[in-house]
Amino acid sequence: MERKINRREKECEEKHSNSEGSEQDKEYKTSLITLNVGGYLYITQKQTLTKYPDSFLEGIINGKIMCPFDADGHYFIDRDGLLFRHILNFLRNGELLLPEGFRENQLLAQEADFFQLKVLSDAVKSRWEKEQLASRETTFLEITDSHDRSQGLRIFCNAPDFIAKIKSRIVLVSKSRLDGFPEEFSVSSNIIQFKYFIKSENGTRLVLKEDNTFVCTLETLKFEAIMMALKCGFRLLTSLDCTKGSIVHSDALHFIK
């Protein structure tokens, strides 16, 4: 008799625990929301979408805003499906994190306004203004003789990231040509100074090592800069020093997109 009672108690406990588990499963499943944004499906948690009160997404999830459903019963939002990735990442992370080279600030700001996320909208617009300001500022790279800064080449461009890229390329070329003699030149924020940077008899400036071993011409570095700029979509403006009569002989190059 006692065994039967114990067995019944055990069965009741199992049923109770199973019912609790099923209720938890149901609650977890209902917390997952699938959105169809412009044909792109996104699955996320309810708490993510309702993070900002009075936002468009919070209004949909809590029934304040009517939203159509697609054929599969998912919320359908007729907006840019690709850009929604950044909206959702902002809701998840609480900050604006965009991939390197992102150029759709204006479109993303419009999406943020539509979804009524003022914090995101302000962050995008601030980022956009900083990029526009940076694009108007001309930066430069100077390749020169450490003893005479009038001898050399100056590269001007309105894209700081390109100046950094071209500097690293020229340093790489110079190191390979100098073959283990990095002390022959020094690098600062906007200047590459060669220790031995002299003019030959025919007027071509040469980069030489202390023992007069030939390394490369300044024109070699100049053509490196021009080819890199063209490959990156920049165009070469008129030489800043028109008295030279030729790009090859000019002391300055100006690139712009």
Side-chain angles (χ1 to χ4, degrees), residues 86-87 90 96 98 102 104-110 112 117-131:
H86 307 301
I87 301 288
F90 173 78
L96 178 63
L98 296 173
F102 183 80
E104 296 184 300
N105 294 298
Q106 188 173 5
L107 288 174
L108 184 56
Q110 287 180 344
L117 294 166
K118 188 177 185 305
V119 178
L120 175 59
S121 178
D122 291 344
V124 175
K125 289 172 183 176
S126 175
R127 181 182 187 274
W128 187 18
E129 288 172 1
K130 287 178 182 177
E131 284 187 355

Side-chain angles (χ1 to χ4, degrees), residues 170-197:
I170 289 174
V171 168
L172 182 66
V173 169
S174 304
K175 282 184 176 179
S176 65
R177 298 289 178 88
L178 286 167
D179 192 24
F181 292 89
E183 69 276 4
E184 300 297 331
F185 68 95
S186 60
V187 182
S188 62
S189 58
N190 290 90
I191 300 175
I192 302 175
Q193 287 188 329
F194 286 91
K195 189 174 181 181
Y196 300 97
F197 195 67

